[in-house]
Amino acid sequence: MTQLEREDVQGLVFSGYAAMHEARYLFYEVADPAGARRWLGELAARVTTGSAGEGAHCTNVALTHRGLAALGLDPEPLSTFAPPFQEGMTTPYRQRVLGDVGPSAPDMWAWGGPPGSDSSAPEDRLHVLLLLFAPDGGAMDSLLDAEMSRATGEGALRHLQTLQPEPLPGTISAGKFGVEHFGFADGMSQPVIQGTGQEDELAGEQARRHVVATGEFVLGYPNGYGELTPSPWLPGPDSGKVDLGRNGTYLVVRQLKQDVHGFRELVRRLAGTVGDDADAEARFAAKLVGRWYSGAPLARTPHRDDVDLATDNAFGYAEVDPYGERCPLGAHIRRANPRDSTAPERARALELTNLHRILRRGRVYGPGLPDAATEDDLVERGLIFICMSANIERQFEFVQQTWCNNPKFSGLYEEQDPVLGTPPPEGGLFTVQGSPFATRARGLTNFVTVRGGAYFFLPGVRGLLSLAGRS
Amino acid sequence: MIGSSVRQSPAVSGTAEAVPGVRRAKDTTPRRRSPSLAARLANNAFLLRLLARPLRRFAPVLSIGRVVLVSRHADVLDVLERDGDFTIAEVNAATMDRIDGPFILGMDRSEQFTRERTILQSCVHPSDSERIRTFVAATAAQLVGAAATQGRIDVVQDLARPAATRLVASYFGVPGPDEVTMMRWMRVLFWEAFLNSGGDLAVRLCGEQAAAALHAYLDELIAAERAGLDRGGEGRDTLLTRLITAQADPATRLSDEGVRRNIAGVVVGAVDTTSKATAHAVDQLLRHDGALQAAQRAARDGDVQVVAEYTFEALRFNPLNPALVRHVARDAVIAEGTRHRRQVPAGHTVYAAVLPAMFDSAAFDDPNTFRHDRRPAADLNFGYGMHSCFGLYVNRIQIPELVAALLRCDGLRRAPGRQGRMVYEGPFPDRLLVDVAGPVPTGRAV
Amino acid sequence: MRQAAFTILTPVLPGHCTALSELLTSIGDAVVDDQRLGLSGLDRLHYASFSILPGGEGPRLAFEGNIDGSPSAFLENLLDVSASAIDDVYSHCAGYPPLADGDREPTLRYLLDRDIGADTFFVAWPGHSLDMIRREDELRRWIQDFLDEPEQASLRRSDPENVHRAVVEAVRDDPSIRWALEAEPLPFLVRHPRTVLVLLAAPALAGLVAIVVAAARRGTARRPARLFLATVAAAAAGALARLRAAELADDHRERSRTTDWETVYTAWSKNLSQFRHREDAKGQNHLTSIADIKPGLFRFVTLRTVLAVIRAVATLSPVRGQLGGITSIHFARWVITPDRRLIFLSNFDGSWENYLGDFVDLAARGLTAVWTNTHNDVGFPHTTWLVEQGARDEARFKAFARRGMEPTLLWYSAYPGLSVANISNNRAIREGLRRPQDAGGTEAWLRRL
């Protein structure tokens, strides 16, 4: 197999930069195409790649389709990018695919909304995403100053907006990012990219379950089918092609607002579905998510939370829980990654599921709602969801559409992801399978609202240079 | 099982007869399904040894379909040693999850495995050996004495199972609501976990009910023991109380659920395995007359060390498991650098054939002869590598003590005719009848 | 009741395409409430679609129906309800006799004469009439609501047999739902595909064995038997050689093409929004696709043979509700048109991406065997031995499939809220009222609720 060219791949593919507690995501509009290309060419040398260590700080850059056009890329190469990336996230079709309806409709987005909407960085002007990471606030300030002046100093780019996730918790262990706003340990299950060396540390179930072909996340390498995912290109010398996509990938950013108070209310209201003991609330919340607050999977410990299993990710459903009596069939993590339960034969099921994996790099934003809060403080908080995949349709959109939002998932009738979904106005349904028969929780409300989103392309370093016209 | 973790089924908490499809703990007239050909073969050590020789010679790594059989000693060690290539989670994890929750027996090399195994290990004290020996010797003498008055002893039901269950109560600290219930739980759980590959529904139901009952029972027991410890009670010192005490130190702290999982895992694996090994050892000694007489002499002289040598040599002829199962996690090569080198693709299943390996003349001189003074390092009776038996330190003492108690009986011989044949239920011996003239007073004060 | 398929193919009058397309689209945009065609009032119609397909002699209107009973009975019924709308639609088609004096006979004749049926028709749950599907879903809801009543809370602590008994009693007590306890068996073929398979296969197998035995033994039959076997072997070898030759010729054409498939597809994909107007609006989707059959008799015969095999497998497979492992298709059909094109029409659960993914992941060989005999300007991926590779080339296969699609102008589903799995689950719930049929007994039956 072709060796993975780590030095050409942006570092975000390999790491969530857990040591970098501060992050800023900056949106820019191209003001001067020539200047912007020059800026991009210089930036290519500073970009954090997968070969070097993370150093004092990390910098990555991604572009939208409009951004590539604004840089002056010709229509022909522009049309070689993946269709969802070309079309953007706000078309009526993609709204249906992603479930961005009702309060999550793009017209209401804070950024990335359709042209003419109230978005601060509307789709047509959102061109460049600069991702900056630093270990602490001081380092971030100086990095931010330096990068901002390089980008806008000579009028190459116009700054539109900055997203600022919360600093990571002070103690980080085993690369864990800590806890999202609803109180669950997050980022527990990630695919492991073949060829990164990370797969050698895994054995047995872990290796089989989570190692995914390089080409699923990095363009230019064989994907899960052993084929090359179509990659964008530039016309090269002698009527050849320059592979613009190689070592690049597609990046999805979505700002997901979480109604923490609403979630807690609902858990309190519906906890009776799963019993009337003291643990009922925690158990109901775990049923919705599929993991206990600690991260311990219900499939492994169905009765109560077990912190010793918090990082356990080597489990499946087919053998221990085929009917959802431990982890409900419609629970969030079972929808987002059904593991070995997608086909009658386990090994095949894993292979099929692994054709639809995403690499997540989310960070939370907004202050946490205190545990003792009795009413909503109306402060916005949530998750800046970032994920990567080489094939947006088969990976990110598939997970969203065919698994999370699909009312018919796993033989169910009319329910959606209980955490992410937008239930109908009369309230959503959630079935908790059990013995002797299932319990249905009714009246689920919407807790997660999309506040912005866009598809980006995260080029390889050579790709950046090509775009800058310096290849 | 939602919201019903403490659901106590009448079938489990009630009388043994109420369990549908599962026999009572002690029942010598079973409604037995006739065992499959494969099961018969697996339980027939003689036939296996006969097949093992051509296998080692002509097909040391035999591959049929998705199954690979490894039969040479060096290759078996190699397979068991390479726990990253040949893994166990695929084989055991789901079973463990169903009846207990994650346990080291179903975990591959990982932080969690190391941590939990280390914590368990740290709760074993050097002085435990003597404690176990004293307890087992007394229990065994008592059980044998009681049964011997009738002139016939069932090695499985009269001796090994009750003795192991009592050790579980006394040393591991899990007595169960009563001994009969406890034995039935252990049997039913083992049944579901290891004998029920066909997924018989009645058995599964019983297994699940027993698991739920044991779960509820252990929750209460752990709470009670913790309360006792909190009161500063210097009372019981068992593996369970040590696990609870160890929670005080972050380095050895298991979650409450972790304590339950681990003690349950240890306990469920502690009864029927011991009884199987004991029955096998006795059965083999009865087949080797010279060895039997020598072992009896040693037993009467109080030399349990020598009895142990005979016991484990006997087990070599019919070990607990004729083969250990592993999953091929990634494409691997077995017997690299030899003429029988073979590539095995990921996803296949490997049988590390322990029994043939223990008759490999490369590791055992004159393997077909019963010799009690072999170098013990080569034997695979307790497995090898990362997943070698956790209870080794117990059973190295317990099994010889049980065997010794029996050997001390006068006129020990196999029950005549069909009665004397060992009867299996799945892979577990269910009955082994021996006749005795009467117990002989122990040659050593216990 | 038997399910049937009709595919009515009629030439569109020159210059009428736009008007026809607009008419159908306007009906299709609100197909459930629409009163013109009134499809939602037809109690024998599972799925229907209208689309305009390219043809050798100009565009043609394709009217697809998946119905209970015979096409003629259905179309009569349709004309009873909405003769004037049908008249409006078909007045754009060549050879149509306008409706005169309310005499529907010529219209019916016109439609029936142009029905080319289906070469291979797949039905997920043969024998399940629309009425039955709807009633059984109603039953499922009824039982779930019953179990969810607070008064029934004690059942949760009860054992499965008691719960079952309570449900059956409640059903019996409600006259509106009592029908569920009566037997409503499916046709014999549906219930006993294995028996039929054996009945069909046994004589054929016996004949073959007899010939082989005759060929091996001395006797008068030896010579003709050997001759027969030799002829069959030679024919098979010849067919395989011919197949490889055809595939090599395809590879050669592929190498010598001037524009690569990615460029062709990229240029075409600008039209994608036409399909997406309707795509993924509901939980189910419709796919209309057309491709040219490759030239030559060989490909034509091969395609017909493959379709016949798929038909046989789909009819006799003991595992219902799936086609080649794909469990999301309600009704699908392949139709060979007189001008050598292959139409594929499918009514399925979930998204296009999922559906095509299933094609690649689960049924690549079967679908390769069909579509490798066809082409469009993207071209079917490189194939060997009729079934190998082909659709396994995920990106190109999806591009080929997309390129072959035509917009479905009007599409009707009688039960957009029910998946293939839901329908069978509802059926099992109903059957299990009388006696749980699942291997797991009453417990497994309760799991369905």
Side-chain angles (χ1 to χ4, degrees), chain A residues 62-334:
Chain A
L63 302 119
T64 62
H65 196 251
R66 311 276 183 128
L68 292 170
L71 281 179
L73 206 61
D74 291 331
E76 194 192 5
L78 273 175
S79 70
T80 62
F81 284 85
F85 173 72
Q86 293 189 45
E87 292 166 20
M89 210 182 262
T90 65
T91 65
Y93 172 71
R94 295 238 118 66
Q95 284 181 50
R96 292 199 295 269
V97 167
L98 299 174
D100 293 343
V101 293
S104 293
D107 295 336
M108 333 254 283
W109 286 0
W111 57 271
S117 67
D118 292 340
S119 276
S120 57
E123 201 179 15
D124 52 336
R125 294 174 58 203
L126 174 51
H127 294 158
V128 178
L129 164 65
L130 187 64
L131 304 112
L132 302 178
F133 302 87
D136 53 58
M140 178 52 83
D141 289 343
S142 50
L143 175 64
L144 207 51
D145 280 351
E147 288 298 344
M148 189 65 109
S149 69
R150 284 176 183 134
T152 56
E154 288 164 34
L157 302 176
R158 199 173 297 123
H159 177 244
L160 300 175
Q161 194 185 357
T162 300
L163 302 182
Q164 179 172 350
E166 285 291 283
L168 296 179
T171 51
I172 311 285
S173 67
K176 252 182 67 187
F177 275 40
V179 169
E180 55 70 62
H181 280 299
F182 292 146
F184 291 87
D186 192 21
M188 310 293 303
S189 178
Q190 295 277 13
V192 171
I193 309 175
Q194 209 166 55
T196 53
Q198 292 165 347
E199 74 270 30
D200 298 333
E201 296 157 25
L202 303 174
E205 290 277 11
Q206 289 263 30
R208 259 257 305 289
R209 287 185 196 285
H210 302 296
V211 176
V212 174
T214 320
E216 292 290 295
F217 299 107
V218 186
L219 291 169
Y221 303 86
N223 61 22
Y225 290 105
E227 308 277 345
L228 296 178
T229 302
S231 175
W233 46 267
L234 285 170
D238 313 326
S239 73
K241 291 175 180 180
V242 175
D243 188 348
L244 196 55
R246 186 175 179 79
N247 294 322
T249 189
Y250 291 101
L251 185 92
V252 181
V253 182
R254 284 160 75 81
Q255 182 176 337
L256 307 175
K257 183 179 114 175
Q258 290 171 273
D259 176 5
V260 177
H261 184 69
F263 180 80
R264 290 183 191 164
E265 287 265 272
L266 179 102
V267 168
R268 260 195 294 276
R269 183 156 57 82
L270 294 177
T273 317
V274 296
D276 44 17
D277 52 317
D279 296 337
E281 283 183 23
R283 194 178 316 118
F284 183 70
K287 290 284 184 188
L288 294 175
V289 172
R291 289 184 189 267
W292 297 90
Y293 282 116
S294 75
L298 279 177
R300 271 275 151 88
T301 176
H303 305 290
R304 69 179 69 122
D305 202 350
D306 181 348
V307 291
D308 290 341
L309 302 177
T311 54
D312 193 327
N313 198 28
F315 61 95
Y317 302 108
E319 283 187 286
V320 288
D321 191 25
Y323 310 113
E325 293 176 5
R326 289 169 172 232
C327 176
L329 298 174
H332 171 63
I333 68 157
R334 195 160 177 159

Side-chain angles (χ1 to χ4, degrees), chain B residues 177-190:
Chain B
D178 57 76
E179 192 173 300
V180 177
T181 307
M182 188 65 179
M183 282 209 285
R184 193 177 60 251
W185 281 352
M186 301 296 104
R187 177 50 64 101
V188 167
L189 287 173
F190 237 119

Side-chain angles (χ1 to χ4, degrees), chain C residues 29-111:
Chain C
D29 279 342
V31 74
V32 177
D33 303 324
D34 162 73
Q35 297 299 321
R36 283 176 282 180
L37 271 175
L39 295 180
S40 53
L42 299 169
D43 56 6
R44 289 184 168 192
L45 177 63
H46 293 255
Y47 291 91
S49 81
F50 283 94
S51 42
I52 297 179
L53 303 177
E57 288 143 26
R60 293 163 301 181
L61 175 66
F63 174 20
E64 168 207 12
N66 300 277
I67 54 172
D68 293 328
S70 75
S72 58
F74 170 79
L75 290 172
E76 262 180 69
N77 187 224
L78 174 68
L79 287 173
D80 286 343
V81 177
S82 43
S84 73
I86 290 289
D87 192 51
D88 286 348
V89 169
Y90 280 95
S91 61
H92 295 289
C93 292
Y96 176 71
L99 203 59
D101 309 327
D103 179 12
R104 296 173 197 135
E105 196 47 38
T107 308
L108 183 64
R109 189 87 327 209
Y110 176 84
L111 294 175

Side-chain angles (χ1 to χ4, degrees), chain A residues 300-375:
Chain A
R300 271 275 151 88
T301 176
H303 305 290
R304 69 179 69 122
D305 202 350
D306 181 348
V307 291
D308 290 341
L309 302 177
T311 54
D312 193 327
N313 198 28
F315 61 95
Y317 302 108
E319 283 187 286
V320 288
D321 191 25
Y323 310 113
E325 293 176 5
R326 289 169 172 232
C327 176
L329 298 174
H332 171 63
I333 68 157
R334 195 160 177 159
R335 281 178 174 273
N337 182 5
R339 297 174 185 242
D340 57 0
S341 64
T342 46
E345 211 249 311
R346 276 183 69 216
R348 180 78 185 121
L350 269 178
E351 278 175 36
L352 293 182
T353 301
N354 279 343
L355 292 167
H356 310 283
R357 297 295 298 273
I358 52 173
L359 206 54
R360 291 174 297 149
R361 296 290 182 245
R363 290 186 181 223
V364 302
Y365 73 95
L369 183 68
D371 284 340
T374 50
E375 51 190 55

Side-chain angles (χ1 to χ4, degrees), chain C residues 7-19:
Chain C
T7 314
I8 298 167
L9 219 52
T10 47
V12 180
L13 287 169
H16 281 248
C17 259
T18 317

Side-chain angles (χ1 to χ4, degrees), chain B residues 134-146 158-159 163 166 398 400-406 408 442:
Chain B
T134 314
F135 182 84
V136 174
T139 313
Q142 188 208 339
L143 285 166
V144 168
D158 293 339
L159 175 61
R166 286 178 203 178
Q398 178 170 233
E401 284 292 349
L402 292 175
V403 172
L406 203 62
R408 288 186 195 111
T442 49

